Amino acid sequence: MTWFFDHLDDVLSRGLQHAYLAGVPLVIGLLIALPLGWLARRYKFLYAPFTAGFGLLYTIPSLALFVILPGFLGIPILDPVNVLVAMTIYTVALLVRTVADGLGAVPDHVQQAATAMGYTRVKRFFAIELPLAVPVISAGMRVAAVSNVSIVSVGTILGINQLGLFFSDGFNRDFYDPLFVGIAACIVLALLFDAVIIVLTRLFTPWLRATGGRA
Amino acid sequence: MIAFDGVTKKFPDGTVAVDSLSLEAPSGKITVLVGPSGCGKTTSLRMINRMIRPTSGTITLDGKDTGRMKESELRRGIGYVIQHAGLFPHRTVLDNVSTVPRLLGMDKTETRKRSMELLERVGLDPAFAKRYPAQLSGGQQQRVGVARALAADPPVMLMDEPFSAVDPVVREQLQDQFLRLQGDLGKTIIFVTHDIDEAIKLGDQVTVLKVGGHLAQMAAPAYLLAHPVDDFVADFVGRDRGYRALSFQATPRLPLAAERTIAMGESAEGVDADWVLVVDDQNHPLGWVEPLRARGAIRTEMLHRGGTVARASGPLRGALDSALSSPSRRGVIVDDSGSLVGTVKAHEVLTAIEQADRPELADPRKPGAPAA
Ligand SMILES: Nc1ncnc2c1ncn2[C@@H]1O[C@H](COP(=O)(O)OP(=O)(O)OP(=O)(O)O)[C@@H](O)[C@H]1O
Ligand SMILES: [Mg+2]
């Protein structure tokens, strides 16, 4: 505990960096997954290749991705952009299927009613399909958030600044206080992300609260 | 007016859902499409607002080919009530009703006001405005569906089995309210149902479709019951069509008998009759009691309520039913305010039926006669 209080500044700054590296890709990944998921729904023949194909990206070992990406992007390996891009890829990998399935869960008669009212395709997406897909997309976001927080710490091996550095500190010195603090901080961060997503979801789905979950 | 001219729909899998259909739905009238499941009713309806594109043939709206109009604009000008209401679950009742006016960019406050009025018109308490669809009963959802279709005041309404998902009592209320509303609004309506009774009750004109999307017969309801064009239509309109046709015949003057009545709370003891009619202080009939069995002052729970009550100015079907359903075999007839005017026996109603003219039989060349 004393170690923790002595190094509070370190914990906070590495925590913030960790949150940045895990959180920003979550938002960018969602923005990329939305049109991809929509396409997978819109054109039936795209559904299987898109969901399976993007899903496969998740199986690329993170370490390999961290090492390969700088070559593609022409940036130094320690550049945070490297991590941001890698985490965005993982987020997209998790979310394309989620978005496609979320949009697919909008009941048929609701879609047809929207068409009959004279919604154009684009307006229908934003006004009807997306809001109704929020609960499913949110569930996928929670998985992606936890996954991102955990994968970012792999950056430790490259020496990228984030909470994982505490693990190597502790391990190298056979001194376990930083190790435990690092683990605890990761868990707290994951819980924080989860809480933010839950609060946002509640804000965007007032009808679910009013009806006790019936929609 | 909506006109189908040789419209055919063949789906990619080869199913012919509608086969060279030609029909006209006159402005300001209710045209009902009725037929067994799978006969192409929904497909026909959806070709009007181009949710489904005809394979061949044209559909015109007041003379304009709908195929040449911009789809989203065409649809905003046509009210559509979808089967099972199809409300947007994430929007409040008020926002659901306001959908099309908002799409058309109408003023927000004005739309709100109009939507609230519409809710009242379709018989919903304004307190429901803030609720979500899942917080409503099926019947209430159907009402919201109708209000939503009416919101932008479109001249044309397409209604796909709007009252099918509710119990018979609520359905009847919705139908009556719908007819009152249409009396005020005079929209051009195409109404789809598979229930021939509903078709006959609501339609100014009834179009019977056969599986495969063939037009079997198009006629006014009374004519349809009297002149089914073939076995299919005859079967479809049902066995008791002779009885149902009485719905369209006004009751002539019946030989009404004065009925001995007693007031609620009085005693029936000593009354020399098998049954005696109990009325309230405004002479509205409440029910029958048997003097031999009713001891003491008459209370509500002692009344026999099996008999129906018919209006003297209503259709003959009501008078006959009132006589048939009455425990005393004397049918109760009331005036328009609901006050008792007398009773009638079944054979007297039958005599009146035998003597009545049957205008629908007189002129077989009447408009709406079978097309082919
Ligand atoms: N997208 C489609 N592809 C192939 N066949 C279809 C399609 N939509 C409808 N059909 C077929 O076309 C026929 C007419 O269907 P439609 O939905 O118009 O029937 P309906 O009269 O509305 O029936 P119901 O009373 O059951 O609603 C049916 O045989 C149906 O199976
Ligand atoms: Mg149908």
Side-chain angles (χ1 to χ4, degrees):
Chain A
M1 264 319 196
T2 40
W3 188 91
F4 171 68
F5 287 112
D6 291 345
H7 296 79
L8 200 53
D9 282 356
D10 264 3
V11 175
L12 279 182
S13 86
R14 283 178 179 178
L16 276 178
Q17 186 66 14
H18 200 118
Y20 169 73
L21 292 175
V24 170
L26 214 50
V27 177
I28 301 175
L30 176 63
L31 292 179
I32 296 174
L34 282 177
L36 291 175
W38 181 82
L39 281 173
R41 256 304 134 197
R42 171 74 182 82
Y43 301 101
K44 273 200 189 104
F45 65 93
L46 287 180
Y47 180 82
F50 267 37
T51 52
F54 284 102
L56 273 180
L57 289 177
Y58 195 76
T59 62
I60 304 174
S62 45
L63 192 54
L65 205 54
F66 287 145
V67 175
I68 297 168
L69 270 180
F72 276 104
L73 302 170
I75 51 171
I77 200 163
L78 282 180
D79 193 322
V81 172
N82 185 17
V83 183
L84 289 178
V85 172
M87 298 321 298
T88 302
I89 290 176
Y90 288 126
T91 309
V92 171
L94 286 177
L95 287 185
V96 171
R97 182 187 292 273
T98 304
V99 171
D101 291 350
L103 295 176
V106 177
D108 215 30
H109 61 110
V110 173
Q111 301 251 25
Q112 281 162 1
T115 308
M117 304 285 115
Y119 276 100
T120 57
R121 219 186 273 290
V122 175
K123 275 200 167 152
R124 191 177 73 189
F125 175 76
F126 286 107
I128 311 291
E129 294 165 353
L130 188 55
L132 285 173
V134 164
V136 176
I137 294 176
S138 148
M141 286 289 279
R142 292 174 65 182
V143 174
V146 175
S147 146
N148 279 10
V149 168
S150 110
I151 297 179
V152 163
S153 59
V154 176
T156 308
I157 303 177
L158 309 176
I160 290 164
N161 184 32
Q162 36 73 37
L163 289 169
L165 289 184
F166 289 123
F167 306 161
S168 54
D169 288 356
F171 192 70
N172 293 340
R173 293 189 283 151
D174 236 353
F175 171 54
Y176 290 102
D177 283 7
L179 198 98
F180 290 132
V181 167
I183 292 174
C186 277
I187 293 174
V188 169
L189 189 61
L191 289 177
L192 271 177
F193 273 24
D194 208 42
V196 169
I197 294 171
I198 290 175
V199 168
L200 286 176
T201 306
R202 285 182 66 106
L203 276 179
F204 283 114
T205 56
W207 73 94
L208 289 182
R209 252 171 303 147
T211 61
R214 285 199 299 159
Chain B
M1 186 180 75
I2 303 168
F4 280 60
D5 185 16
V7 175
T8 293
K9 177 66 195 184
K10 189 172 177 184
F11 283 107
D13 67 356
T15 312
V16 177
V18 176
D19 190 14
S20 50
L21 182 66
S22 296
L23 63 87
E24 285 177 2
S27 299
K29 301 275 183 225
I30 302 176
T31 298
V32 177
L33 297 184
V34 64
S37 188
C39 69
K41 304 181 293 290
T42 299
T43 306
S44 303
L45 202 65
R46 290 188 172 180
M47 284 193 288
I48 298 171
N49 72 356
R50 294 191 72 78
M51 287 170 75
I52 296 176
R53 294 204 180 108
T55 312
S56 62
T58 53
I59 299 176
T60 56
L61 203 74
D62 292 328
K64 276 179 288 185
D65 184 350
T66 52
R68 293 166 187 276
M69 299 159 117
K70 194 170 172 223
E71 283 180 359
S72 54
E73 277 161 28
L74 170 74
R75 291 174 190 152
R76 287 172 202 175
I78 299 179
Y80 193 104
V81 185
I82 194 167
Q83 206 167 341
H84 307 305
L87 300 179
F88 302 132
H90 61 305
R91 293 195 173 160
T92 61
V93 165
L94 187 70
D95 290 341
N96 261 286
V97 175
S98 308
T99 302
V100 182
R102 299 296 299 137
L103 272 175
L104 290 168
M106 292 183 188
D107 178 67
K108 217 172 178 168
T109 6
E110 186 56 32
T111 298
R112 211 187 135 78
K113 214 179 103 215
R114 236 192 88 75
S115 301
M116 291 302 284
E117 279 168 22
L118 265 173
L119 284 179
E120 287 209 63
R121 279 197 99 149
V122 299
L124 268 184
D125 194 302
F128 284 113
K130 284 217 173 72
R131 292 214 195 171
Y132 290 98
Q135 296 170 294
L136 305 182
S137 73
Q140 290 161 346
Q141 292 189 25
Q142 305 270 20
R143 290 171 198 266
V144 178
V146 173
R148 181 174 66 174
L150 285 168
D153 202 17
V156 174
M157 295 262 287
L158 308 178
M159 309 180 78
D160 196 352
E161 309 205 22
F163 308 140
S164 62
V166 292
D167 66 68
V169 177
V170 175
R171 187 179 315 155
E172 196 139 313
Q173 290 168 2
L174 289 169
Q175 289 168 344
D176 291 339
Q177 188 150 36
F178 169 67
L179 283 177
R180 276 199 299 277
L181 208 59
Q182 167 66 355
D184 294 347
L185 302 176
K187 305 272 181 204
T188 305
I189 296 175
I190 302 214
F191 189 107
V192 163
T193 177
H194 57 251
D195 175 359
I196 184 69
D197 286 315
E198 185 168 69
I200 298 242
K201 176 172 178 184
L202 300 181
D204 293 306
Q205 169 182 295
V206 177
T207 302
V208 185
L209 297 177
K210 269 190 235 196
V211 172
H214 305 282
L215 178 73
Q217 186 169 5
M218 179 155 69
Y223 189 89
L224 192 73
L225 290 174
H227 293 285
V229 76
D230 59 15
D231 288 347
F232 170 78
V233 180
D235 266 359
F236 193 73
V237 296
R239 294 200 185 284
D240 51 353
R241 57 183 176 272
Y243 179 62
R244 283 207 309 254
L246 296 177
S247 305
F248 300 99
Q249 252 176 302
T251 308
R253 281 194 84 78
L254 293 167
L256 294 181
E259 184 70 31
R260 167 109 194 243
T261 62
I262 61 169
M264 185 69 99
E266 274 177 28
S267 167
E269 281 169 61
V271 174
D272 179 24
D274 51 348
W275 289 90
V276 63
L277 188 63
V278 181
V279 294
D280 67 8
D281 48 6
Q282 288 166 59
N283 205 30
H284 292 182
L286 297 173
W288 296 90
V289 290
E290 284 174 287
L292 279 181
R293 297 199 193 161
R295 299 264 159 265
I298 299 300
R299 283 164 289 122
T300 315
E301 59 274 21
M302 296 160 78
L303 297 178
H304 184 288
R305 296 170 175 283
T308 57
V309 172
R311 277 183 306 122
S313 61
L316 266 170
R317 182 176 176 166
L320 183 58
D321 192 72
S322 147
L324 293 177
S325 63
S326 169
S328 67
R329 297 292 184 200
R330 301 192 291 279
V332 178
I333 308 292
V334 296
D335 62 17
D336 284 342
S337 70
S339 299
L340 178 70
V341 290
T343 54
V344 67
K345 295 202 165 161
H347 70 84
E348 293 162 340
V349 183
L350 289 175
T351 306
I353 290 170
E354 280 167 7
Q355 287 168 353
D357 289 337
R358 303 195 64 186
E360 79 277 8
L361 289 182
D363 179 17
R365 297 253 153 255
K366 183 180 157 130

